[in-house]
């Protein structure tokens, strides 16, 4: 019987080539899209799920008066371990400020490379986080001072195929140069974590180790990520309730001395990647919102493809009415007909599945490039089984309605060439078309909104000059000391307008800050002001708008009592910008009151991404500190040529140190990588959804015009114009599209508005969005249907009026 079903299915497929192609191709596109998104979603959901005892792992974070902060003071970990027997183990991760790319050298092989994501960790790190080692002993990898655990990729770059255990790597940062001994090599791509490392350096070391040991104040330097592993049976909520008393006992005096109010809270490690976006995250996290968006897109695209299948199958019912009638007359039961039509559906879905898998294999490299992932169909066998199960479910879903509908035909009406419940079937088809275009319209409107917000970000005046700014990082102490010589030589290049250096530049999260209060106020009215340390010409190079006073000159760089503030800082400190120059602001240091003189006021600028509001910001001199970044403002001229000349200067001034550069505008845009990837994926799959809906509409329009060709012929003979007939046919589809737009508009507004909540500075959703999106949807529908109607209208009416 199964063989007979398949034989009939194959014959019907060949007999109706256009409709078979539309069904198979549309369904394969829908399945392949769904498969790609399933791979992406599964990868995003897998972060931090592999750790042993992952349900007992938590990050301890701070809640300040202004924001939530992922870092804690260095002393926090020891205090937690000493005070709470419920804690099995504790560890810290430190992403030290201004280290950026670490300069790694293997003197044995004379190889040196820059590598990002190097974190200082305690020896207990691998007691909490699970990593798979290729070389070395995970139990004691970081027990000794000046030891390092590196990724397999770094091991290959520095040591080739050689086992790197006990080999020496020279690590240079702006604060020192130390030899580290390799004690482990881990596989990086097997399991995913919100801690996304290339190497782990022991917190016991000769570069920042002494500074770490000196962190005994509970109110300052909250840049350590503190993780705990609770003992089995510990209630995390009950444990969290004990934290206020713990903090008061240990940090109360330090907080009161500085006029601070802070509290602690726990974050499950398994939830950090997708559910945490607080300040000082250790790396760029994902978002549950995007999981919901991509899941919805996958489901809707698959449903659109299934709708195509059901629409075309029921539309073709009349051509199979005679077959069904004969089968019922000779004794076929309803169940056998249902089985036959389901077998046909499953057969077509299997063909679609094979084509979909081929499409996925072809498109996966491009999809990986867009999402910056390394997804694979074979990496996780369980996913492949889920995909096959999804295809079978799709076959049953898309084939069930046509099977039930076709098998319900009555023998007498079927043999007359008429279906059963024709009006009901037509109503269902119209409803499915409305659903298709509702989903497509919603995706189009949301995609336009994404594009508008990204354009707004690209074109917004940020309060500084971001274009044609070349940034050179100082990765070690020697290059930072050579700053003056580098600046003098770079300024000799004709295209370079100005140059300066500092501890930071716009676009990076600035962790250095100080609590200030204005004249006539006390430390209980303090304002947290972020501080950037700068050299002379910094304000001019970055193009900040100086409103009042002056900037830091050469003579001010070594001063410890001069500051330039932004408007927000001046306002929060209780001053009027026009009258603030020459006034003092105060802070408490080791119990003593000290002050800064306000030299100038600059217009507010976005020193962070547009996700965050502008906060109080101050610029102070470098004093004895070394700059971390060199910035050159380039005027007219070819940027590549200027970079080449700067590289030559760098080679002369900093011999033996690799040249590294970036453009400030590119660095600032990295804050929106997540949004840009989401926008690209959403727009790409929106186009796919539109395409699937259109090919279904095209097939349905082809069949409808074929059924009405005699009507068209009669109208032509009676004098109707091609335009008149076209408009007559299009009116029916226009009604369906307008209904779809009415449903899609409020839904897209809700989704778009939720997405925009993540931005402090955002566009307003205006009526123009819905007008443009609606016209776009109507044009697509008209082009798709109109092409078939015009073709039928222009055909020879005599040929259409011939009897069979």
């Amino acid at each position: 019987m199964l063989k007979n079903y398949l034989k009939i299915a194959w014959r019907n497929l060949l007999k109706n080539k256009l409709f078979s192609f539309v069904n198979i191709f549309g369904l394969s596109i829908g399945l392949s899209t769904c498969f790609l998104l399933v791979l992406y979603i599964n990868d995003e959901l897998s972060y931090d799920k592999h750790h042993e005892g992952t349900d007992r792992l938590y990050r301890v974070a701070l809640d300040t008066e202004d924001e939530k902060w992922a870092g804690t003071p260095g002393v926090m970990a020891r205090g937690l371990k000493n005070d709470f027997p419920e804690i099995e183990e504790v560890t810290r991760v430190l992403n030290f400020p201004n280290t950026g790319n670490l300069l790694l050298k293997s003197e044995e092989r004379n190889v040196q490379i820059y590598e990002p994501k190097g974190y200082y960790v305690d020896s207990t790190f691998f007691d909490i986080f699970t990593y798979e080692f290729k070389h070395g002993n995970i139990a004691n990898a970081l027990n000794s001072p000046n030891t390092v655990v590196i990724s397999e990729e770094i091991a290959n770059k520095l040591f080739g195929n050689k086992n790197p255990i006990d080999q020496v790597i020279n690590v240079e940062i702006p604060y020192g140069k130390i030899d580290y001994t390799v004690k482990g090599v881990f596989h990086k791509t097997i399991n995913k974590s919100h801690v996304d490392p290339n190497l782990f350096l022991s917190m016991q070391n000769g570069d920042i180790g002494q500074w770490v040991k000196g962190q005994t104040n509970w109110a300052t330097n909250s840049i350590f990520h503190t993780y705990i592993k609770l003992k089995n049976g510990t209630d995390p909520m009950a444990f969290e309730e004990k934290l206020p008393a713990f903090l008061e006992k240990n940090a109360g005096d330090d907080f009161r001395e500085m006029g601070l109010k802070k509290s602690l809270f726990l974050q499950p490690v398994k939830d950090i990647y997708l559910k945490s976006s607080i300040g000082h995250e250790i790396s760029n996290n994902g978002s549950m919102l995007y999981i919901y968006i991509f899941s919805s897109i996958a489901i809707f695209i698959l449903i659109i493809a299934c709708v195509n299948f059901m629409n075309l199958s029921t539309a073709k019912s009349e051509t199979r009415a005679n077959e069904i009638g004969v089968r019922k007359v000779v004794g076929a039961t309803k169940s056998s007909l249902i089985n036959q039509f389901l077998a046909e559906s499953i057969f077509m879905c299997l063909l679609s599945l094979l084509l979909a898998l081929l499409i996925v294999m072809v498109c996966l490299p491009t999809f990986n490039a867009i999402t910056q992932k390394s997804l694979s169909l074979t990496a996780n066998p369980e996913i492949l089984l889920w995909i096959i199960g999804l295809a079978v479910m799709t076959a049953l879903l898309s084939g069930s309605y046509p099977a039930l509908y076709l098998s319900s035909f009555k023998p007498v009406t079927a043999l007359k060439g008429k279906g059963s419940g024709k009006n009901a079937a037509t109503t269902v088809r119209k409803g499915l078309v409305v659903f298709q275009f509702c989903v497509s319209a919603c995706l189009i409107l949301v995609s336009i909104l994404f594009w508008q917000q990204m354009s707004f970000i690209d074109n917004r005046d940020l309060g500084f000059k971001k274009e044609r700014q070349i940034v050179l990082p100082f990765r070690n102490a020697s290059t930072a000391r050579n700053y003056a010589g580098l600046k003098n030589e770079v300024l000799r290049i004709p295209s370079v307008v100005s140059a300066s250096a500092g501890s930071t530049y716009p676009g990076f999260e600035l962790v250095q800050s100080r609590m200030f209060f204005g004249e006539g106020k006390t430390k209980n009215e303090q304002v947290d002001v972020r501080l950037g340390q700068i050299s002379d010409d910094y304000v001019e190079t970055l193009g900040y708008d100086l409103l009042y006073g002056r900037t830091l000159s050469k003579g001010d760089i070594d001063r410890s009592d001069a500051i330039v503030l932004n408007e927000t800082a001046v306002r929060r400190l209780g001053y009027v910008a026009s009258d603030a120059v020459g006034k003092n602001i105060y802070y408490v240091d080791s119990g003593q009151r000290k002050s800064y003189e306000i030299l100038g006021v600059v217009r507010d600028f976005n020193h962070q991404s547009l996700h965050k509001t502008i906060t109080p910001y101050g610029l102070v001199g470098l004093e004895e500190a070394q700059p971390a970044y060199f910035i050159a403002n380039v005027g007219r001229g070819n940027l590549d040529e200027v970079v080449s000349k700067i590289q030559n200067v760098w080679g002369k001034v900093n011999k033996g140190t690799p040249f590294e550069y970036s453009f400030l505008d590119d660095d600032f845009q990295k804050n929106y990588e997540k949004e840009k990837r989401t926008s690209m994926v959403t727009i790409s799959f929106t186009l796919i959804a539109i395409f699937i809906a259109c090919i279904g509409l095209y097939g349905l329009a082809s069949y409808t015009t074929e059924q009405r060709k005699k009507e068209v012929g009669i109208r032509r003979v009676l004098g109707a114009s091609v335009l008149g007939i076209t408009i007559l046919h299009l009116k029916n589809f226009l009604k369906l599209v307008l209904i779809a737009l009415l449903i899609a508009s409020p839904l897209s507004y809700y989704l778009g508005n939720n997405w925009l909540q993540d931005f402090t500075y955002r566009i307003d959703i205006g009526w123009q969005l819905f007008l443009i999106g609606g016209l776009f949807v109507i044009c697509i529908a008209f082009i798709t249907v109109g092409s078939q109607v015009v073709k039928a209208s222009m055909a020879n009416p005599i040929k259409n009026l011939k009897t069979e």
Side-chain angles (χ1 to χ4, degrees):
M1 186 62 72
L2 180 61
K3 181 180 178 182
N4 185 49
Y5 288 159
L6 293 176
K7 187 183 293 184
I8 294 171
W10 179 251
R11 286 174 179 171
N12 277 311
L13 188 147
L14 295 178
K15 183 180 178 181
N16 302 288
K17 294 183 178 63
L18 173 63
F19 291 92
S20 299
F21 171 77
V22 169
N23 267 337
I24 293 172
F25 186 64
L27 204 53
S28 64
I29 294 292
L31 285 170
S32 59
T33 301
C34 196
F35 294 166
L36 287 171
L37 289 172
V38 165
L39 289 173
Y40 177 88
I41 292 167
N42 178 71
D43 184 82
E44 289 285 282
L45 292 173
S46 68
Y47 277 69
D48 290 309
K49 300 297 191 295
H50 63 283
H51 303 301
E52 184 180 343
T54 187
D55 291 333
R56 296 185 286 129
L57 304 186
Y58 294 87
R59 180 172 70 184
V60 182
L62 281 173
D63 191 351
T64 69
E65 292 180 300
D66 294 325
E67 64 176 329
K68 292 185 177 181
W69 190 255
T72 59
V75 71
M76 180 70 69
R78 185 173 67 248
L80 288 167
K81 182 67 172 175
N82 290 340
D83 285 20
F84 290 108
E86 300 99 316
I87 294 178
E88 182 177 310
E89 194 52 271
V90 62
T91 196
R92 296 173 298 175
V93 179
L94 174 61
N95 184 15
F96 204 74
N98 296 330
T99 52
N101 288 348
L102 302 177
L103 180 56
L104 311 180
K105 297 181 180 179
S106 170
E107 295 182 356
E108 179 184 337
R109 297 188 67 217
N110 195 27
V111 176
Q112 56 181 0
I113 57 174
Y114 280 125
E115 284 294 333
K117 301 177 182 178
Y119 304 128
Y120 293 95
V121 298
D122 286 323
S123 60
T124 54
F125 179 83
F126 294 112
D127 295 330
I128 289 182
F129 292 96
T130 303
Y131 281 80
E132 185 174 332
F133 272 39
K134 181 180 180 180
H135 301 292
N137 184 354
I138 194 171
N140 57 15
L142 295 172
N143 285 357
S144 301
N146 296 326
T147 51
V148 63
V149 174
I150 61 177
S151 67
E152 192 175 2
E153 291 81 2
I154 292 181
N156 291 333
K157 290 177 184 178
L158 290 176
F159 305 104
N161 296 324
K162 182 179 178 180
N163 186 340
I165 297 300
D166 292 329
Q167 296 295 312
V168 174
I169 297 177
N170 181 268
V171 180
E172 285 194 53
I173 62 172
Y175 312 101
K177 180 168 64 173
I178 296 293
D179 287 338
Y180 282 81
T181 304
V182 178
K183 288 297 182 179
V185 177
F186 64 91
H187 295 288
K188 185 178 178 183
T189 57
I190 292 179
N191 295 307
K192 302 292 182 69
S193 173
H194 75 283
V195 181
D196 182 26
N198 284 328
L199 67 158
F200 295 110
L201 303 114
S202 170
M203 199 87 77
Q204 306 174 62
N205 56 62
D207 44 30
I208 66 165
Q210 290 301 315
W211 179 86
V212 170
K213 290 178 182 178
Q215 298 308 300
T216 57
N217 191 298
W218 287 76
T220 59
N221 292 319
S222 298
I223 59 174
F224 294 82
H225 291 78
T226 303
Y227 298 89
I228 61 173
K229 186 174 188 177
L230 297 176
K231 291 180 179 177
N232 277 318
T234 301
D235 182 356
M237 294 183 66
F239 176 83
E240 191 172 33
E241 290 175 357
K242 298 179 181 179
L243 293 178
F246 160 80
L247 197 61
E248 171 59 29
K249 169 191 169 185
N250 292 281
D253 291 341
D254 288 343
F255 285 173
R256 279 186 287 274
E257 181 181 336
M258 297 190 67
L260 301 176
K261 292 181 181 179
K262 297 181 181 181
S263 60
L264 297 174
F265 65 97
L266 299 182
Q267 291 182 291
V269 166
K270 63 182 180 180
D271 292 342
I272 289 175
Y273 178 73
L274 287 176
K275 298 181 180 179
S276 179
S277 58
I278 61 179
H280 195 52
E281 291 287 358
I282 199 165
S283 59
N284 293 326
N285 288 340
S287 170
M288 277 304 299
L289 174 63
Y290 297 135
I291 296 297
Y292 296 141
I293 289 174
F294 291 154
S295 299
S296 301
I297 291 173
I299 292 169
F300 285 138
I301 286 179
L302 191 60
I303 292 176
I304 287 174
C306 292
V307 164
N308 277 351
F309 189 95
M310 290 186 276
N311 255 345
L312 294 174
S313 296
T314 53
K316 285 289 288 179
S317 61
E318 290 185 18
T319 62
R320 302 193 67 178
N322 289 334
E323 173 197 341
I324 295 165
V326 171
R327 285 178 177 275
K328 284 200 168 186
V329 167
V330 298
T333 62
K334 184 175 181 178
S335 61
S336 66
L337 289 172
I338 290 174
N339 291 336
Q340 177 193 322
F341 294 126
L342 274 177
E344 291 180 18
S345 298
I346 292 173
F347 177 68
M348 294 184 73
C349 283
L350 287 175
L351 293 178
S352 299
L353 173 62
L354 294 175
L355 183 57
L357 291 174
L358 180 62
I359 292 171
V360 168
M361 286 188 284
V362 171
C363 296
L364 200 53
T366 303
F367 187 67
N368 281 333
I370 293 174
T371 58
Q372 296 183 5
K373 288 187 175 291
S374 302
L375 306 175
S376 171
L377 274 172
T378 57
N380 190 343
E382 291 182 6
I383 287 296
L384 201 55
L385 292 175
W386 273 99
I387 285 173
I388 294 172
L390 185 64
V392 174
M393 184 192 73
T394 302
L396 296 174
L397 175 67
S398 58
S400 57
Y401 174 70
L404 292 170
Y405 172 71
L406 293 172
S407 63
S408 67
F409 285 5
K410 296 178 180 179
V412 176
T413 55
L415 288 171
K416 289 180 180 180
K418 300 176 182 179
S420 173
K422 185 176 179 180
N423 291 334
T426 303
T427 302
V428 171
R429 282 201 297 274
K430 287 181 178 179
L432 293 176
V433 169
V434 169
F435 175 80
Q436 280 185 313
F437 273 88
C438 178
V439 173
S440 300
C442 190
L443 289 174
I444 288 170
L445 292 169
V446 170
S447 296
I448 293 173
L449 186 69
F450 282 5
W451 175 79
Q452 287 179 333
Q453 177 64 18
M454 290 298 103
S455 298
F456 171 78
I457 287 171
D458 290 338
N459 299 315
R460 176 180 165 82
D461 180 10
L462 300 174
F464 62 91
K465 179 178 171 55
K466 65 177 181 177
E467 293 80 14
R468 303 181 72 83
Q469 302 274 18
I470 300 174
V471 179
L472 310 181
F474 295 132
R475 298 301 186 196
N476 53 40
S478 62
T479 55
R481 284 193 297 268
N482 294 336
Y483 156 64
L486 178 67
K487 178 181 178 180
N488 291 334
E489 292 297 320
V490 167
L491 287 175
R492 296 178 187 274
I493 301 172
S495 298
V496 176
V497 177
S498 62
S500 187
S503 62
T504 186
Y505 59 95
F508 280 90
E509 183 178 57
L510 186 60
V511 298
Q512 185 179 0
S513 67
R514 179 165 281 165
M515 304 298 293
F516 290 102
F517 54 95
E519 293 179 355
K521 297 189 177 184
T522 68
K523 64 182 181 181
N524 294 323
E525 301 171 277
Q526 291 182 121
V527 176
D528 189 8
V529 179
R530 301 290 170 92
L531 294 178
Q533 294 180 281
I534 64 170
S535 183
D536 57 303
D537 298 327
Y538 185 89
V539 170
E540 293 78 5
T541 299
L542 283 170
Y544 294 136
D545 187 5
L546 183 66
L547 299 177
Y548 304 100
R550 62 182 178 85
T551 63
L552 295 170
S553 63
K554 269 189 178 181
D556 299 314
I557 297 306
D558 294 328
R559 288 178 60 181
S560 60
D561 62 349
I563 192 169
V564 174
L565 296 174
N566 69 350
E567 292 174 283
T568 298
V570 170
R571 184 171 59 254
R572 292 279 302 275
L573 287 163
Y575 297 120
V576 178
S578 58
D579 193 40
V581 176
K583 299 287 179 66
N584 289 325
I585 57 174
Y586 303 93
Y587 66 98
V588 176
D589 183 21
S590 301
Q592 294 185 346
R593 175 168 141 162
K594 298 182 179 180
S595 66
Y596 276 89
E597 178 191 355
I598 302 174
L599 295 185
V601 179
V602 296
R603 184 165 68 90
D604 278 342
F605 58 94
N606 292 97
H607 55 90
Q608 301 179 95
S609 75
L610 297 185
H611 294 104
K612 300 179 180 179
T613 187
I614 294 175
T615 56
Y617 195 98
L619 299 171
V620 297
L622 283 167
E623 299 180 52
E624 296 179 357
Q626 298 292 347
Y629 300 98
F630 176 86
I631 306 166
N633 176 220
V634 180
R636 294 181 179 180
N638 186 292
L639 276 175
D640 291 335
E641 292 181 3
V642 176
V643 169
S644 179
K645 292 176 181 178
I646 292 177
Q647 184 174 6
N648 291 334
V649 171
W650 179 275
K652 294 176 183 176
V653 177
N654 299 304
K655 294 179 181 179
T657 302
F659 177 71
E660 182 188 7
Y661 76 96
S662 63
F663 294 106
L664 192 153
D665 52 354
D666 291 340
D667 291 341
F668 203 90
Q669 289 301 314
K670 288 177 182 177
N671 289 296
Y672 314 112
E673 282 183 346
K674 181 171 61 178
E675 288 76 16
K676 286 186 178 293
R677 287 199 301 270
T678 303
S679 179
M680 286 183 66
V681 172
T682 303
I683 291 171
S684 300
F685 288 127
T686 296
L687 295 175
I688 291 172
I690 294 168
F691 177 72
I692 295 173
C694 285
I695 61 175
L697 193 60
Y698 177 85
L700 195 59
S702 299
Y703 176 75
T704 305
T705 25
E706 179 67 22
Q707 292 297 101
R708 299 179 66 179
K709 65 181 181 181
K710 283 186 170 57
E711 176 195 335
V712 172
I714 293 170
R715 289 183 181 276
R716 286 295 310 279
V717 169
L718 293 176
S721 66
V722 173
L723 178 62
I725 294 172
T726 303
I727 292 174
L728 184 67
H729 281 70
L730 287 177
K731 279 197 301 184
N732 294 328
F733 285 101
L734 177 60
K735 291 177 185 176
L736 302 180
V737 172
L738 289 176
I739 293 171
L741 284 172
L742 286 174
I743 299 171
S745 295
L747 181 60
S748 58
Y749 177 88
Y750 172 78
L751 294 173
N753 192 54
N754 276 359
W755 179 71
L756 287 173
Q757 296 305 312
D758 198 34
F759 293 90
T760 300
Y761 305 94
R762 55 183 182 264
I763 61 169
D764 294 321
I765 303 177
W767 59 267
Q768 298 91 340
L769 168 71
F770 302 101
L771 177 63
I772 295 169
L775 290 175
F776 185 61
V777 173
I778 291 171
C779 288
I780 290 172
F782 275 18
I783 291 170
T784 304
V785 178
S787 60
Q788 290 300 300
V789 176
V790 170
K791 180 181 176 182
S793 302
M794 296 182 68
N796 188 342
I798 297 173
K799 184 178 178 181
N800 286 341
L801 291 172
K802 283 182 180 180
T803 57
E804 295 179 1

